Amino acid sequence: MLLGFRPSLRLLSPRLQLLQSRSVQSEHPATSAAVDSVLSALRSICGEDGVSFGAAVREQHGRDESIHRCCPPDVVVFPRCVEEVSALAKVCHQHNLPIIPFGTGTGLEGGVSAVKGGVCFSLRNMDQVLDLHPEDFDVTVEPGVTRKALNSHLRDTGLWFPVDPGADASLCGMAATSASGTNAVRYGTMRENVLNLEAVLADGTILHTAGRGRRPRKTAAGYNLTNLLVGSEGTLGIITKATLRLYGIPEAMVSAVCSFPSVQAAVDSTVQILQAGVPIARIEFLDDVMMDACNRFSSLSYAVSPTLFLEFHGSERSLEEQVLTAEDITQSNGGSDFQWARDAGSRERLWKARHDAWYAALALRPGCKAYATDVCVPLSRLPQIIVETKQDLMENRLTGPIAGHVGDGNFHCIMVVEPSDPEELHRVHLFTERLARRALALDGTCTGEHGVGLGKRALLCEEVGPEAVKVMQRLKDSLDPKNLMNPGKVLQ
């Protein structure tokens, strides 16, 4: 609803915007006063229309897709280039103003919440695809470029960028959260697909993590600063350019759906397909509750039972071998015959239904909110944790359909909860804590792809241990001694 008001608010005069902002109670009066004192400096850098105090604009930039409450910044700025980002950061650093980077707001862990107020850097105006090198399979993009926009730009080159978290997220935001998705089992996560980053640090310093303009396929030169920033969730710097690996579009693609008599059979098939060395591109698990929700929401007619969605990429000849091996394995575990989606339209409808699982789950209980868990375990532990999680959900009377990138050992319970029911909220909270600790006990992680954000900071300490957290804190203190970069996230 707020999105509909944003353009008109941007057109308000600066004087009217400031008057409007004063009608909104600030949670951080000291920070708000500091912002007022640097208003002219902010406008001198990115122009009158590049600074917004509008209430709806601030609220839009104070929330993501998570259940965390909206924490709006005191002001939103819209830089147009890295030089403006650097100049704005220097102003914030001089006046001790928190800095919160914002891409598209599709995160799931409260990563854009301005918990200490401050200045939100909305990067949508930096939306250029730069330095495409088709012969070298790489491209450099600005932070306003989304996954779909890049692949649209690449459509005549025979190349694509395969990391697909579902949402049409900013590619630099995906780097900041180390996002992945349905294709990660074949093509890896953002961590494996970022070659270099340009980032602005808290004091305005412009950093090139692998050297300015460098894009080798591999390097052993010094500390890996690129992967230090990948997954840092805006707490170490603002990513202003990302150089990414590209891939050739496969000669052939085919998708299939296979249902199973039990969760154990579906997950066992996943593990066995991967152990057989099948280079599968996607292998997604949906439990019976999720399949029922997807059938209703997307007008499908698949069996309401544990199900795998699979996709194979390669040459026509290699697909035959991949499919034959996968079918033999699934049928040995009691799986149904494959239902095929061979043409582009059928495959698109199939995977759209998978990506719409969030909305399908919400439709099970209209008016409720959703929270997605994000644990990941070694493949051999996957059958055990999913079976135990299903049992936990039933015993505690919770609605939590399961969908996951099981080829990575990563799955999501989409917890659908009535936000006005404190008793149910408490049960959901206890369940998510049990699930995360169950994953840790099985040598896994509390977050496979969503990040730590606001809600998993204590679990991070349990996962990596206090010594590793101390090292992280020392790195943070070294790069951001004033704790201005996205404060309150990742580290407590």
Side-chain angles (χ1 to χ4, degrees), residues 285-291 386 389-390 393 400-404 411-414:
F285 171 79
L286 292 83
D287 74 350
D288 54 336
V289 181
M290 182 59 82
M291 285 304 301
I386 290 185
T389 299
K390 289 278 290 180
L393 287 166
I402 293 175
F411 71 95
H412 311 295
C413 290
I414 303 179

PDB file of all heavy atoms in Angstrom, residues 285-291 386 389-390 393 400-404 411-414:
ATOM      1  N   PHE A 285      12.428 -29.883  -2.913  1.00  0.00           N
ATOM      2  CA  PHE A 285      11.504 -30.722  -2.154  1.00  0.00           C
ATOM      3  C   PHE A 285      10.326 -29.889  -1.660  1.00  0.00           C
ATOM      4  O   PHE A 285      10.506 -28.774  -1.164  1.00  0.00           O
ATOM      5  CB  PHE A 285      12.216 -31.348  -0.960  1.00  0.00           C
ATOM      6  CG  PHE A 285      11.302 -32.063  -0.004  1.00  0.00           C
ATOM      7  CD1 PHE A 285      10.838 -33.332  -0.285  1.00  0.00           C
ATOM      8  CD2 PHE A 285      10.868 -31.441   1.167  1.00  0.00           C
ATOM      9  CE1 PHE A 285       9.983 -33.988   0.583  1.00  0.00           C
ATOM     10  CE2 PHE A 285      10.012 -32.080   2.046  1.00  0.00           C
ATOM     11  CZ  PHE A 285       9.563 -33.375   1.758  1.00  0.00           C
ATOM     12  N   LEU A 286       9.123 -30.426  -1.798  1.00  0.00           N
ATOM     13  CA  LEU A 286       7.921 -29.825  -1.222  1.00  0.00           C
ATOM     14  C   LEU A 286       7.165 -30.922  -0.486  1.00  0.00           C
ATOM     15  O   LEU A 286       6.926 -32.003  -1.049  1.00  0.00           O
ATOM     16  CB  LEU A 286       7.018 -29.207  -2.293  1.00  0.00           C
ATOM     17  CG  LEU A 286       7.549 -27.967  -3.017  1.00  0.00           C
ATOM     18  CD1 LEU A 286       8.486 -28.353  -4.158  1.00  0.00           C
ATOM     19  CD2 LEU A 286       6.392 -27.119  -3.567  1.00  0.00           C
ATOM     20  N   ASP A 287       6.789 -30.665   0.759  1.00  0.00           N
ATOM     21  CA  ASP A 287       6.057 -31.697   1.500  1.00  0.00           C
ATOM     22  C   ASP A 287       4.588 -31.680   1.108  1.00  0.00           C
ATOM     23  O   ASP A 287       4.141 -30.876   0.276  1.00  0.00           O
ATOM     24  CB  ASP A 287       6.271 -31.539   3.010  1.00  0.00           C
ATOM     25  CG  ASP A 287       5.518 -30.368   3.618  1.00  0.00           C
ATOM     26  OD1 ASP A 287       4.962 -29.536   2.872  1.00  0.00           O
ATOM     27  OD2 ASP A 287       5.492 -30.268   4.864  1.00  0.00           O
ATOM     28  N   ASP A 288       3.800 -32.584   1.695  1.00  0.00           N
ATOM     29  CA  ASP A 288       2.409 -32.722   1.283  1.00  0.00           C
ATOM     30  C   ASP A 288       1.605 -31.453   1.568  1.00  0.00           C
ATOM     31  O   ASP A 288       0.751 -31.058   0.759  1.00  0.00           O
ATOM     32  CB  ASP A 288       1.767 -33.928   1.975  1.00  0.00           C
ATOM     33  CG  ASP A 288       1.915 -33.884   3.496  1.00  0.00           C
ATOM     34  OD1 ASP A 288       2.856 -33.227   3.999  1.00  0.00           O
ATOM     35  OD2 ASP A 288       1.095 -34.511   4.200  1.00  0.00           O
ATOM     36  N   VAL A 289       1.880 -30.785   2.675  1.00  0.00           N
ATOM     37  CA  VAL A 289       1.147 -29.557   3.005  1.00  0.00           C
ATOM     38  C   VAL A 289       1.453 -28.478   1.981  1.00  0.00           C
ATOM     39  O   VAL A 289       0.558 -27.757   1.520  1.00  0.00           O
ATOM     40  CB  VAL A 289       1.513 -29.077   4.427  1.00  0.00           C
ATOM     41  CG1 VAL A 289       0.740 -27.813   4.776  1.00  0.00           C
ATOM     42  CG2 VAL A 289       1.245 -30.172   5.450  1.00  0.00           C
ATOM     43  N   MET A 290       2.715 -28.364   1.599  1.00  0.00           N
ATOM     44  CA  MET A 290       3.087 -27.360   0.605  1.00  0.00           C
ATOM     45  C   MET A 290       2.515 -27.691  -0.769  1.00  0.00           C
ATOM     46  O   MET A 290       2.089 -26.798  -1.518  1.00  0.00           O
ATOM     47  CB  MET A 290       4.613 -27.232   0.536  1.00  0.00           C
ATOM     48  CG  MET A 290       5.088 -26.158  -0.441  1.00  0.00           C
ATOM     49  SD  MET A 290       4.463 -24.514  -0.021  1.00  0.00           S
ATOM     50  CE  MET A 290       5.641 -24.056   1.234  1.00  0.00           C
ATOM     51  N   MET A 291       2.504 -28.959  -1.136  1.00  0.00           N
ATOM     52  CA  MET A 291       1.936 -29.336  -2.428  1.00  0.00           C
ATOM     53  C   MET A 291       0.454 -28.992  -2.492  1.00  0.00           C
ATOM     54  O   MET A 291      -0.034 -28.497  -3.519  1.00  0.00           O
ATOM     55  CB  MET A 291       2.149 -30.826  -2.692  1.00  0.00           C
ATOM     56  CG  MET A 291       3.573 -31.184  -3.068  1.00  0.00           C
ATOM     57  SD  MET A 291       4.211 -30.281  -4.507  1.00  0.00           S
ATOM     58  CE  MET A 291       3.044 -30.763  -5.774  1.00  0.00           C
ATOM     59  N   ILE A 386      14.411 -33.469   8.422  1.00  0.00           N
ATOM     60  CA  ILE A 386      13.092 -33.151   7.868  1.00  0.00           C
ATOM     61  C   ILE A 386      12.013 -34.000   8.535  1.00  0.00           C
ATOM     62  O   ILE A 386      10.937 -33.504   8.893  1.00  0.00           O
ATOM     63  CB  ILE A 386      13.077 -33.324   6.338  1.00  0.00           C
ATOM     64  CG1 ILE A 386      13.926 -32.234   5.682  1.00  0.00           C
ATOM     65  CG2 ILE A 386      11.650 -33.245   5.806  1.00  0.00           C
ATOM     66  CD1 ILE A 386      13.895 -32.233   4.161  1.00  0.00           C
ATOM     67  N   THR A 389      11.447 -32.617  11.975  1.00  0.00           N
ATOM     68  CA  THR A 389      10.787 -31.311  11.919  1.00  0.00           C
ATOM     69  C   THR A 389       9.301 -31.467  11.630  1.00  0.00           C
ATOM     70  O   THR A 389       8.461 -30.768  12.232  1.00  0.00           O
ATOM     71  CB  THR A 389      11.461 -30.439  10.849  1.00  0.00           C
ATOM     72  OG1 THR A 389      12.834 -30.243  11.207  1.00  0.00           O
ATOM     73  CG2 THR A 389      10.772 -29.093  10.728  1.00  0.00           C
ATOM     74  N   LYS A 390       8.940 -32.370  10.726  1.00  0.00           N
ATOM     75  CA  LYS A 390       7.523 -32.629  10.457  1.00  0.00           C
ATOM     76  C   LYS A 390       6.816 -33.091  11.735  1.00  0.00           C
ATOM     77  O   LYS A 390       5.695 -32.647  12.027  1.00  0.00           O
ATOM     78  CB  LYS A 390       7.391 -33.702   9.371  1.00  0.00           C
ATOM     79  CG  LYS A 390       7.792 -33.255   7.989  1.00  0.00           C
ATOM     80  CD  LYS A 390       6.685 -32.507   7.275  1.00  0.00           C
ATOM     81  CE  LYS A 390       5.537 -33.419   6.890  1.00  0.00           C
ATOM     82  NZ  LYS A 390       4.458 -32.663   6.194  1.00  0.00           N
ATOM     83  N   LEU A 393       6.282 -30.134  14.082  1.00  0.00           N
ATOM     84  CA  LEU A 393       5.176 -29.276  13.636  1.00  0.00           C
ATOM     85  C   LEU A 393       3.829 -29.859  14.039  1.00  0.00           C
ATOM     86  O   LEU A 393       2.949 -29.146  14.541  1.00  0.00           O
ATOM     87  CB  LEU A 393       5.235 -29.096  12.115  1.00  0.00           C
ATOM     88  CG  LEU A 393       6.336 -28.189  11.563  1.00  0.00           C
ATOM     89  CD1 LEU A 393       6.484 -28.389  10.058  1.00  0.00           C
ATOM     90  CD2 LEU A 393       6.016 -26.726  11.866  1.00  0.00           C
ATOM     91  N   GLY A 400       3.266 -25.084   9.047  1.00  0.00           N
ATOM     92  CA  GLY A 400       4.609 -24.799   8.541  1.00  0.00           C
ATOM     93  C   GLY A 400       4.947 -25.672   7.359  1.00  0.00           C
ATOM     94  O   GLY A 400       5.794 -26.563   7.458  1.00  0.00           O
ATOM     95  N   PRO A 401       4.311 -25.442   6.203  1.00  0.00           N
ATOM     96  CA  PRO A 401       4.668 -26.233   5.021  1.00  0.00           C
ATOM     97  C   PRO A 401       6.148 -26.101   4.702  1.00  0.00           C
ATOM     98  O   PRO A 401       6.759 -25.054   4.920  1.00  0.00           O
ATOM     99  CB  PRO A 401       3.794 -25.637   3.909  1.00  0.00           C
ATOM    100  CG  PRO A 401       3.330 -24.306   4.427  1.00  0.00           C
ATOM    101  CD  PRO A 401       3.284 -24.428   5.907  1.00  0.00           C
ATOM    102  N   ILE A 402       6.726 -27.176   4.184  1.00  0.00           N
ATOM    103  CA  ILE A 402       8.173 -27.248   3.963  1.00  0.00           C
ATOM    104  C   ILE A 402       8.473 -27.225   2.471  1.00  0.00           C
ATOM    105  O   ILE A 402       7.860 -27.944   1.676  1.00  0.00           O
ATOM    106  CB  ILE A 402       8.755 -28.522   4.597  1.00  0.00           C
ATOM    107  CG1 ILE A 402       8.647 -28.455   6.119  1.00  0.00           C
ATOM    108  CG2 ILE A 402      10.216 -28.720   4.181  1.00  0.00           C
ATOM    109  CD1 ILE A 402       9.092 -29.728   6.823  1.00  0.00           C
ATOM    110  N   ALA A 403       9.418 -26.378   2.093  1.00  0.00           N
ATOM    111  CA  ALA A 403       9.958 -26.351   0.736  1.00  0.00           C
ATOM    112  C   ALA A 403      11.446 -26.091   0.858  1.00  0.00           C
ATOM    113  O   ALA A 403      11.875 -25.348   1.736  1.00  0.00           O
ATOM    114  CB  ALA A 403       9.295 -25.264  -0.109  1.00  0.00           C
ATOM    115  N   GLY A 404      12.231 -26.714  -0.004  1.00  0.00           N
ATOM    116  CA  GLY A 404      13.656 -26.490   0.179  1.00  0.00           C
ATOM    117  C   GLY A 404      14.513 -26.881  -0.986  1.00  0.00           C
ATOM    118  O   GLY A 404      14.118 -27.665  -1.852  1.00  0.00           O
ATOM    119  N   PHE A 411      16.602 -26.255   3.639  1.00  0.00           N
ATOM    120  CA  PHE A 411      15.144 -26.247   3.467  1.00  0.00           C
ATOM    121  C   PHE A 411      14.508 -25.181   4.351  1.00  0.00           C
ATOM    122  O   PHE A 411      15.111 -24.696   5.303  1.00  0.00           O
ATOM    123  CB  PHE A 411      14.539 -27.625   3.760  1.00  0.00           C
ATOM    124  CG  PHE A 411      14.558 -28.023   5.210  1.00  0.00           C
ATOM    125  CD1 PHE A 411      13.457 -27.795   6.021  1.00  0.00           C
ATOM    126  CD2 PHE A 411      15.672 -28.646   5.767  1.00  0.00           C
ATOM    127  CE1 PHE A 411      13.467 -28.165   7.366  1.00  0.00           C
ATOM    128  CE2 PHE A 411      15.688 -29.018   7.096  1.00  0.00           C
ATOM    129  CZ  PHE A 411      14.587 -28.777   7.902  1.00  0.00           C
ATOM    130  N   HIS A 412      13.279 -24.824   3.981  1.00  0.00           N
ATOM    131  CA  HIS A 412      12.539 -23.768   4.673  1.00  0.00           C
ATOM    132  C   HIS A 412      11.217 -24.313   5.192  1.00  0.00           C
ATOM    133  O   HIS A 412      10.484 -24.976   4.454  1.00  0.00           O
ATOM    134  CB  HIS A 412      12.231 -22.605   3.734  1.00  0.00           C
ATOM    135  CG  HIS A 412      13.416 -22.125   2.955  1.00  0.00           C
ATOM    136  ND1 HIS A 412      14.507 -21.552   3.552  1.00  0.00           N
ATOM    137  CD2 HIS A 412      13.683 -22.138   1.619  1.00  0.00           C
ATOM    138  CE1 HIS A 412      15.390 -21.214   2.610  1.00  0.00           C
ATOM    139  NE2 HIS A 412      14.914 -21.577   1.440  1.00  0.00           N
ATOM    140  N   CYS A 413      10.919 -24.025   6.453  1.00  0.00           N
ATOM    141  CA  CYS A 413       9.557 -24.144   6.969  1.00  0.00           C
ATOM    142  C   CYS A 413       8.931 -22.759   6.872  1.00  0.00           C
ATOM    143  O   CYS A 413       9.450 -21.808   7.481  1.00  0.00           O
ATOM    144  CB  CYS A 413       9.536 -24.581   8.428  1.00  0.00           C
ATOM    145  SG  CYS A 413      10.038 -26.268   8.696  1.00  0.00           S
ATOM    146  N   ILE A 414       7.876 -22.630   6.125  1.00  0.00           N
ATOM    147  CA  ILE A 414       7.203 -21.329   6.019  1.00  0.00           C
ATOM    148  C   ILE A 414       6.132 -21.288   7.105  1.00  0.00           C
ATOM    149  O   ILE A 414       5.035 -21.836   6.946  1.00  0.00           O
ATOM    150  CB  ILE A 414       6.616 -21.112   4.617  1.00  0.00           C
ATOM    151  CG1 ILE A 414       7.730 -21.238   3.570  1.00  0.00           C
ATOM    152  CG2 ILE A 414       5.948 -19.743   4.531  1.00  0.00           C
ATOM    153  CD1 ILE A 414       7.272 -21.063   2.143  1.00  0.00           C
TER     154      ILE A 414
END
